[in-house]
Amino acid sequence: MITRRFLEAPDRRGWIFLALLAAAAIIVPALNLFVPSTSPLHVSTTTVALWGKYLCFALLALSLDLAWGYCGILSLGHGAFFALGGYAMGMYLMRQIGPRGVYAHPVLPDFMMFLNWKELPWYWYGFNHFPYAAVMILAVPGILAFVFGWFAFRSRVTGVYLSIITQALTFALMLGFFRNDFGFGGNNGLTDFKDILGFNVQSTGTRAALFSISALALGLGYLVAQAVVRSKAGKVLIAVRDAESRTRFLGYRVEHYKTFVFTLSACMAGVAGALYVPQVGIINPSEFAPANSIEVVIWVAVGGRGTLIGAALGAILVNYAKTQFTIGMLAPYWLFALGALFVLVTLFLPRGVLGLLPRPEPTGVPCSTSGPPAPKLRSAAGSPPVQPGGGEHASVSRPGAAAAQPVLAK
Amino acid sequence: MAAPVEWPRAITHSLLYLDGVTVSFDGFRALNNLSLDLAHGEMRAIIGPNGAGKTTMMDVITGKTRPDTGEVLFDNGSIDLTREDEAAIAQLGIGRKFQRPTVFDDHTIEDNVLLALKGGRTVGRNLFWRSNGDAGRIGDILSTIGLAAHRRRLAGTLSHGQKQWLEIGMLIAQDPKLLLVDEPVAGMTDAETMTTARLLKDIAQDHTVIVVEHDMEFVRRLGVKVTVLHEGSVLAEGSIDEVSANARVIEVYLGR
Amino acid sequence: MRTSYAHVMAVLLWSLGGLALAGPPAMAQSYEQALAGFAADAFSDTDAAITAVAGSGHPLAAKVIGALQDGRLLFNADDRKIYVREPSGTVLDAATGRPVAGEAPPGLKSVRLNNRLRRSVEAALGSLTLLAPEPSRRLAAAQAVFKSRDANALAALEGALARETDVRVRKAMLEARAAIILTQPSAREADRVQAVGVIRDRSDRDARALLGGLPADLPPTVQRTAAEAITAIDRHLARWEMVQHLWYGLSLGSVLLLAAIGLAITFGVMGVINMAHGEMVMLGAYTTFVVQEIMRTTAPGLLDYSLAIAIPAAFLSAGLVGIAIERGVIQFLYGRPLETLLATWGISLILQQAVRTLFGANNREVSTPSFMSGVVELGGLAVTLNRFWIIVFAGLVFALLLGVLRYTTLGLHMRAVTQNRRMASAMAINTGRIDALTFGLGSGIAGLAGVALSQIDNVSPNLGQSYIIDSFLVVVFGGVGNLWGTLVGALSLGVANKFLEPYAGAVLGKIALLVLVILFIQKRPRGLFALKGRAVEA
Ligand SMILES: Nc1ncnc2c1ncn2[C@@H]1O[C@H](COP(=O)(O)OP(=O)(O)O)[C@@H](O)[C@H]1O
Ligand SMILES: [Mg+2]
């Protein structure tokens, strides 16, 4: 019963989104595997891999939207959680190589042989078992986010301060993972994977399966996220986003809610990273680069923050555009386009692409007796005017100009 | 002020007990050795010129500001509020309406009340929350504050006065032991002011309330004991007629 | 006191002994005889010849041995005559130093060297220049002998010491001799103890290395004094090392200060998160590059003064770009710090790519003016001049900025607008204009930082990226809205970084610092010098 309550059914848009994902998960692999490559309907394996990658990015964007769109936590370090999940998966894949590496050592990955290491570092133990790796994919980003969030939110680091220290966090991790003695392959990262759960990572079938799993993961991620945001806890998250201290005066432990959503979001990002790595065949420290994390933010902003679906669409849209740009002659202009996207979206499209569509009805308090209230007769002010200056999320708790407009020192 | 021997009695019989509370900001004393005690079930009006420290006093009680010195005790002296944070204090049963109305603009009016509604505050409880009967309670509160017709509107679209009422509704929903109401009728018409006074008196039937207000007419209508604050400490205390007659009060506040 | 007296006496006695050794023999003849040793082209004969030629005191000795070192010493196996081929190609008779008449004889071969001989050559050259007329060359020679510790040089050294009048050179020679004696098995125990004393007074890394590398079979007294000396030197070195770290820290701190101070204005004063701040720094660096390139073609003689033009040019170009950004984008985003962050990040991408398109992705070379190049030794402290000037520059910029804020109308208006925008606007201050100018000022200062950075860092499109996180940390650490906080923040982060580095390595040190700052921000979310008051509260 409780689960029934928790898994609040998605709204109409949600169903459409899920249906599209399901269709993609079935049709795309089918067109790839069973339609001969001569047919115009055939989907090439590269395309499958490419779109599989987009789906992982979409899940990453969705996870960030959960934290940023609904709780106002603008993490500029979400790429770190993505990369950590990816590394966890990469470690599993490395250990699957076994004696097939260049140095043919039964246990040690090539890069350790290259560094003359004699034994496996303790943190590599267990990664030869998939269930253990699967737990780590969730646990490593989750625990990091939990500890980091616990300290940051308890001491009420908010707004841009939080953004900047999340950026510093991913920067620090990047520096660390670049080092050989960290034991994660240094500069080159982890690569040359052979198989996953006994299937060849390169084979067409595996790739198609990974695509479907990514679509599934995105759908699942969406279900969880929307269940959270539509629960009462989700309402608290929005309250925190718009008027943090007011929420506190109602007796909510804001730091618990923030830590919860941040951790959940990090776990989802970790899963996205884990699915990404076998599809692209490599994970290296540049995934931690602060620029990557900021790019995720723009995916969310393009799609529309605080919409979940928008974030996923935004990720796919921007990455599709990026691919189109970078394979063509326009490659040198991609960064111009991306930069312009940042500027234009914040200036002219504060609610993102999805914000151009009419806003869905605010959901009422569901009455257990009479079922969901009929959507009828909204008052004249039903669709609220966008407020001047503040966009939709401006609120009394961030009064007037910059919330913290400090004063010059004498 | 009370003689020292009476202090223990006051502590053990007060819902709220402030003694010697001092708060300074960069050397400026917003509260200066402030003492106050409030019996269970009492309603108290607090008046004083701008900058007298009324809001700061509420900040101290609700944990927003830590006093430099002084005691802030709650519930017969059993709880030291200076050791608790805002959320804990709210959960202890102290509700507050802010001077500048603060509601959740992006939530509907009923969701605003829902969030305030007494009940579980933990993440777990609210993830798996079920409405059982909340809708009815919310409906009652919305009728009380006259916003029943607007329950699906976003709070951000309300007028200033409506927001004031919504805040009062949220206070009622919290059902706290002690209500702190900061300038509830600022920006209201005379008629609205009278309605609000009636509403507050209703609430005061079964709650302990502190109301801060400038509007003397409104305070008179409440008809309760008045404390006059000035420069961070108590200048006078008594019925509205007594304090209005007090020479010092006239000099610093009433200005006639 | 007593020991130093004994020192002096010992030195005197030695010097007298050396004088006695270096009597005036029949120089020319022995030189020519010695030369003949090269003609055998056997390593042992060559070695003997090197010592003999070097010891002959003949004016051509240095030239011959120098030629030997470069493989330009030739011999004729038939008549056993020796020649020197000048780098220009002319061939000289080694005995006379005059060019050979007509064609050089055929069949000349270079005298060969092996590694051991190369060391002898170096030692010989060292001892030869011990007698050079210029004190600086004598000093260099003495230092070379100190390093080589070649026993063959001892005689020459004694001779040179006897004539030496320059105090510094003399000291260096004494140290060189002590180094030789210390490592020579035949030396007397007392002499060696004396030598340890001389080395100990030198108190630097080389002295430490010399004493640390002594053979184990030394007499106990020598060993004991050496051990004591090592402790003393270590202590001395540790003190200087602290000073050196402090200096590096200050230097890094001044760079951070320059990079962060503009941010302290745009972020700290205006509350605008400018992620393109690093690119303003980069623009400043590229402006310096462009100014230099222009001067290189138009007025190469004035290249040393190009910074004088680059400084205002960088300030103006970065400042103007800043104003354009503020008017074009940021002014529409006041009160939405997170959106500002995103938009300015986009601008930073555009600027980087624009510079990459214009100037290419590679590093650009910016030359350092002569007055800024070089190193000055202050005791055990090596002061690189460019770093020194950057510290001065950072201090000047900081002081100037304080002055502008405090004493100019612009500063007054800036403070008014940032403290109470509506009130300022009511008092007929054009807030839009002030915003633009303030932002321009912050950006211009970032441009100045770029001028400084072009002197010590690669000028590349990514230049700004490497400083942006650090700058934000400085501002946040120091306390937003407080320039003095930025100063203290920059210097303490710089010094902390440099003190952490030796223990943790550069990367781990940086990580440790990031973690420390993150922890610190959690403890004091508003920074070191937090402002209090309602204005600060969200
Ligand atoms: N956080 C703060 N920082 C600086 N000064 C403050 C702060 N809070 C209150 N004050 C000052 O304390 C005094 C009392 O303020 P307040 O309690 O709001 O007065 P009242 O509500 O009675 O009008 C005022 O002068 C106000 O400026
Ligand atoms: Mg007040």
Side-chain angles (χ1 to χ4, degrees):
Chain A
M1 272 160 5
I2 276 182
T3 39
R4 193 175 56 83
R5 248 288 150 253
F6 174 66
L7 284 179
E8 194 98 38
D11 55 13
R12 205 166 51 103
R13 259 186 211 176
W15 283 119
I16 299 175
F17 178 67
L18 288 172
L20 281 175
L21 276 180
I26 295 166
I27 296 173
V28 171
L31 292 180
N32 171 243
L33 295 175
F34 305 122
V35 174
S37 56
T38 48
S39 157
L41 283 178
H42 176 76
V43 175
S44 74
T45 307
T46 15
T47 315
V48 172
L50 194 62
W51 282 82
K53 201 174 83 172
Y54 294 165
L55 291 176
C56 297
F57 288 152
L59 182 56
L60 172 59
L62 185 87
S63 76
L64 179 66
D65 192 28
L66 188 59
W68 179 38
Y70 289 91
C71 199
I73 304 169
L74 177 52
S75 163
L76 296 184
H78 245 50
F81 304 124
F82 180 83
L84 286 173
Y87 266 97
M89 177 60 104
M91 288 162 81
Y92 164 73
L93 295 172
M94 284 311 262
R95 302 242 8 219
Q96 292 307 298
I97 298 174
R100 285 170 292 174
V102 176
Y103 292 87
H105 191 281
V107 176
L108 290 193
D110 278 350
F111 76 86
M112 292 189 195
M113 297 299 293
F114 187 72
L115 293 175
N116 242 331
W117 288 13
K118 293 289 170 268
E119 53 188 320
L120 207 60
W122 60 268
Y123 45 83
W124 276 76
Y125 293 166
F127 273 97
N128 44 339
H129 304 295
F130 185 78
Y132 177 81
V135 169
M136 285 299 145
I137 284 166
L138 292 170
V140 173
I143 290 173
L144 176 66
F146 181 83
V147 172
F148 182 85
W150 176 251
F151 281 112
F153 300 137
R154 206 187 42 163
S155 27
R156 303 193 183 175
V157 181
T158 56
V160 292
Y161 291 87
L162 187 84
S163 304
I164 288 164
I165 64 170
T166 50
Q167 189 176 29
L169 172 78
T170 191
F171 187 64
L173 282 169
M174 178 178 75
L175 293 181
F177 273 76
F178 264 123
R179 288 176 61 96
N180 278 329
D181 52 10
F182 258 49
F184 297 102
N187 239 335
N188 304 321
L190 310 177
T191 186
D192 291 335
F193 308 134
K194 297 284 189 270
D195 44 36
I196 177 168
L197 291 168
F199 302 100
N200 182 352
V201 269
Q202 308 284 355
S203 80
T204 332
T206 314
R207 286 184 172 268
L210 282 170
F211 174 89
S212 297
I213 293 171
S214 305
L216 210 71
L218 178 58
L220 208 68
Y222 170 71
L223 273 176
V224 171
Q226 72 95 30
V228 167
V229 300
R230 284 163 57 114
S231 72
K232 188 177 169 195
K235 295 182 198 296
V236 179
L237 293 179
I238 294 177
V240 169
R241 175 192 75 191
D242 291 346
E244 176 168 337
S245 76
R246 184 72 179 92
T247 318
R248 223 176 242 130
F249 286 112
L250 286 180
Y252 292 97
R253 293 223 162 266
V254 167
E255 58 275 21
H256 291 186
Y257 284 83
K258 284 183 156 180
T259 310
F260 163 73
V261 78
F262 194 58
T263 308
L264 177 65
S265 162
C267 292
M268 286 169 63
V271 172
L275 289 170
Y276 170 82
V277 167
Q279 300 189 65
V280 298
I282 185 170
I283 173 82
N284 63 29
S286 63
E287 293 294 340
F288 285 104
N292 282 7
S293 296
I294 299 191
E295 227 179 291
V296 183
V297 176
I298 202 61
W299 304 342
V300 178
V302 165
R305 66 183 272 215
T307 59
L308 297 180
I309 297 178
L313 294 184
I316 294 174
L317 211 65
V318 176
N319 281 292
Y320 180 75
K322 182 177 189 167
T323 313
Q324 293 309 313
F325 256 97
T326 43
I327 55 177
M329 305 185 11
L330 290 174
Y333 302 101
W334 165 244
L335 281 179
F336 286 123
L338 185 64
L341 199 61
F342 272 97
V343 177
L344 299 178
V345 166
T346 41
L347 280 184
F348 302 113
L349 211 59
R351 289 173 51 192
V353 175
L354 228 61
L356 295 175
L357 305 177
R359 205 177 154 125
E361 312 249 335
T363 47
V365 180
C367 305
S368 47
T369 46
S370 59
K376 45 141 210 229
L377 285 180
R378 290 193 303 169
S379 60
S383 40
V386 176
Q387 288 167 9
E392 59 171 335
H393 301 310
S395 79
V396 278
S397 72
R398 302 195 225 124
Q405 277 243 324
V407 174
L408 258 191
K410 311 116 265 171
Chain B
M1 239 175 268
V5 281
E6 281 178 37
W7 282 4
R9 208 199 83 87
I11 294 175
T12 54
H13 287 74
S14 313
L15 180 64
L16 181 70
Y17 177 86
L18 270 65
D19 187 37
V21 175
T22 298
V23 172
S24 36
F25 297 106
D26 297 327
F28 169 77
R29 292 200 163 186
L31 291 183
N32 189 3
N33 200 14
L34 174 74
S35 301
L36 184 91
D37 93 74
L38 197 68
H40 289 269
E42 186 183 349
M43 183 181 206
R44 176 78 58 92
I46 295 190
I47 60 174
N50 267 327
K54 307 180 294 289
T55 302
T56 306
M57 182 191 82
M58 294 199 166
D59 288 348
V60 167
I61 298 170
T62 52
K64 188 173 183 217
T65 303
R66 293 225 180 284
D68 303 336
T69 58
E71 289 186 300
V72 186
L73 302 177
F74 185 60
D75 213 359
N76 304 330
S78 61
I79 296 157
D80 180 356
L81 291 182
T82 57
R83 289 170 191 274
E84 310 288 340
D85 67 4
E86 298 100 315
I89 291 174
Q91 287 177 14
L92 283 170
I94 297 182
R96 175 172 183 187
K97 186 204 103 43
F98 287 79
Q99 178 168 353
R100 184 166 46 194
T102 316
V103 295
F104 304 116
D105 285 352
D106 240 24
H107 276 311
T108 58
I109 288 161
E110 62 183 2
D111 278 349
N112 267 279
V113 177
L114 171 67
L115 286 173
L117 214 54
K118 192 171 186 164
R121 293 301 197 232
T122 61
V123 180
R125 285 285 285 281
N126 287 317
L127 272 178
F128 302 107
W129 159 89
R130 311 180 58 178
S131 71
N132 39 6
D134 284 351
R137 176 109 178 82
I138 292 170
D140 291 348
I141 292 169
L142 290 182
S143 324
T144 313
I145 55 173
L147 290 173
H150 306 289
R151 56 189 302 163
R152 294 290 162 79
R153 262 175 73 181
L154 292 186
T157 66
L158 294 178
S159 73
H160 183 81
Q162 285 172 317
K163 281 186 184 171
Q164 297 267 42
W165 273 329
L166 177 53
E167 272 227 59
I168 294 174
M170 289 165 74
L171 261 186
I172 302 174
Q174 273 179 275
D175 190 23
K177 290 184 189 150
L178 171 65
L179 284 77
L180 307 174
V181 190
D182 203 349
E183 308 206 9
V185 299
M188 284 191 184
T189 63
D190 283 352
E192 288 169 338
T193 304
M194 294 308 127
T195 320
T196 309
R198 225 176 302 126
L199 187 59
L200 282 175
K201 280 174 79 169
D202 257 8
I203 295 171
Q205 307 250 303
D206 39 15
H207 294 94
T208 311
V209 183
I210 295 180
V211 184
V212 163
E213 193 43 78
H214 281 296
D215 187 326
M216 292 307 281
E217 206 35 57
F218 174 84
V219 174
R220 190 175 295 279
R221 192 157 288 249
L222 290 179
V224 295
K225 184 173 173 186
V226 177
T227 298
V228 185
L229 285 196
H230 176 54
E231 291 179 353
S233 35
V234 175
L235 186 69
E237 223 165 45
S239 74
I240 182 80
D241 294 321
E242 282 165 22
V243 299
S244 319
N246 183 315
R248 289 273 293 130
V249 175
I250 293 172
E251 182 191 333
V252 305
Y253 184 47
L254 301 175
R256 257 156 279 137
Chain C
M1 272 288 88
R2 185 107 49 86
T3 52
S4 65
Y5 171 75
H7 265 173
V8 173
M9 285 312 287
V11 166
L12 274 178
L13 286 175
W14 258 329
S15 313
L16 286 175
L19 206 61
L21 277 175
M27 255 184 212
Q29 196 191 355
S30 69
Y31 168 69
E32 279 178 14
Q33 280 169 0
L35 264 187
F38 289 123
D41 197 23
F43 289 144
S44 57
D45 291 350
T46 309
D47 197 9
I50 292 169
T51 318
V53 169
S56 68
H58 193 276
L60 283 174
K63 186 171 212 117
V64 167
I65 297 183
L68 176 61
Q69 188 176 37
D70 298 348
R72 291 184 286 104
L73 191 66
L74 313 174
F75 70 97
N76 188 339
D78 301 336
D79 60 3
R80 301 175 68 82
K81 281 191 75 166
I82 309 295
Y83 301 90
V84 171
R85 186 193 295 125
E86 293 279 73
S88 60
T90 38
V91 176
L92 313 177
D93 183 340
T96 59
R98 277 190 286 277
V100 288
E103 283 287 295
L108 291 185
K109 287 203 280 181
S110 304
V111 181
R112 290 170 309 146
L113 287 179
N114 63 9
N115 274 342
R116 196 175 56 80
L117 286 182
R118 264 187 207 102
R119 270 200 302 281
S120 306
V121 168
E122 273 159 28
L125 279 176
S127 51
L128 275 174
T129 33
L130 283 172
L131 298 170
E134 307 90 343
S136 62
R137 284 183 62 202
R138 297 203 300 272
L139 184 67
Q143 282 163 350
V145 176
F146 178 84
K147 290 231 169 69
S148 70
R149 282 161 228 160
D150 189 324
N152 296 333
L154 190 58
L157 198 59
E158 303 283 12
L161 258 175
R163 307 184 200 168
E164 190 55 62
T165 49
D166 184 305
V167 187
R168 263 180 7 121
V169 179
R170 196 176 165 76
K171 179 162 177 291
M173 287 179 172
L174 287 174
E175 286 164 2
R177 192 177 55 187
I180 295 175
I181 289 172
L182 208 52
T183 42
Q184 215 169 31
S186 58
R188 289 195 339 241
E189 185 175 333
D191 293 348
R192 286 181 157 192
V193 173
Q194 298 286 1
V196 169
V198 175
I199 302 292
R200 171 186 171 150
D201 288 349
R202 200 181 141 110
S203 273
D204 63 357
R205 232 164 257 291
D206 292 333
R208 171 70 175 75
L210 175 59
L211 291 175
L214 286 181
D217 57 351
L218 290 176
T221 40
V222 180
Q223 276 188 9
R224 191 157 19 81
T225 28
E228 282 167 14
I230 286 178
T231 333
I233 293 178
D234 279 347
R235 224 179 300 124
H236 181 85
L237 283 180
R239 267 200 300 277
W240 277 110
E241 198 170 5
M242 291 283 284
V243 177
Q244 186 78 54
H245 283 324
L246 203 65
W247 165 257
Y248 287 146
L250 277 183
S251 159
L252 178 65
S254 69
V255 170
L256 286 179
L257 177 65
L258 275 172
I261 195 174
L263 205 63
I265 296 207
T266 52
F267 177 45
V269 176
M270 300 178 76
V272 169
I273 314 293
N274 182 14
M275 295 298 275
H277 183 80
E279 279 58 46
M280 302 291 118
V281 176
M282 174 197 71
L283 285 183
Y286 272 95
T287 308
T288 316
F289 168 72
V290 170
V291 166
Q292 249 187 23
E293 287 307 296
I294 293 177
M295 291 193 67
R296 202 186 296 282
T297 49
T298 57
L302 297 176
L303 206 57
D304 258 6
Y305 303 96
S306 75
L307 283 188
I309 298 173
I311 287 174
F315 181 83
L316 284 181
S317 59
L320 287 177
V321 172
I323 289 177
I325 293 175
E326 201 276 342
R327 285 293 89 183
V329 176
I330 291 174
Q331 66 157 322
F332 306 110
L333 295 173
Y334 282 119
R336 295 159 65 191
L338 297 181
E339 274 88 345
T340 315
L341 188 156
L342 293 180
T344 49
W345 174 263
I347 294 171
S348 85
L349 289 183
I350 295 175
L351 287 175
Q352 271 180 50
Q353 190 60 17
V355 166
R356 208 171 282 132
T357 315
L358 274 176
F359 295 95
N362 298 332
N363 294 344
R364 288 306 183 149
E365 186 72 34
V366 170
S367 62
T368 306
S370 50
F371 72 93
M372 279 179 73
S373 20
V375 183
V376 170
E377 299 267 348
L378 287 178
L381 177 69
V383 174
T384 34
L385 280 178
N386 55 357
R387 296 274 175 174
F388 170 78
W389 283 111
I390 286 175
I391 292 181
V392 171
F393 184 62
L396 282 179
V397 170
F398 183 80
L400 215 68
L401 183 63
L402 276 187
V404 166
L405 289 183
R406 208 179 294 182
Y407 300 114
T408 65
T409 329
L410 174 66
L412 183 69
H413 286 180
M414 268 169 57
R415 282 177 293 160
V417 170
T418 51
Q419 281 169 28
N420 192 335
R421 172 170 300 267
R422 244 185 309 159
M423 183 69 119
S425 157
M427 294 175 69
I429 295 176
N430 181 346
T431 54
R433 197 176 136 261
I434 297 297
D435 284 335
L437 287 180
T438 312
F439 200 82
L441 179 65
S443 304
I445 291 175
L448 294 183
V451 180
L453 284 179
S454 72
Q455 297 298 317
I456 53 173
D457 206 339
N458 297 327
V459 178
S460 77
N462 305 330
L463 174 72
Q465 288 292 298
S466 28
Y467 289 93
I468 182 77
I469 292 187
D470 285 348
S471 315
F472 268 115
L473 288 183
V474 164
V475 174
V476 169
F477 177 68
V480 168
N482 187 326
L483 284 183
W484 288 103
T486 308
L487 177 71
V488 176
L491 295 186
S492 39
L493 285 193
V495 171
N497 200 345
K498 287 301 170 188
F499 272 88
L500 278 174
E501 249 175 39
Y503 305 105
V507 173
L508 277 186
K510 183 138 192 127
I511 295 175
L513 201 68
L514 282 176
V515 172
L516 282 182
V517 172
I518 289 174
L519 287 179
F520 175 84
I521 291 176
Q522 317 220 322
K523 216 87 232 88
R524 299 193 60 164
R526 303 268 169 213
L528 207 55
F529 296 89
L531 293 173
K532 281 196 199 158
R534 261 183 197 177
V536 189
E537 271 157 39

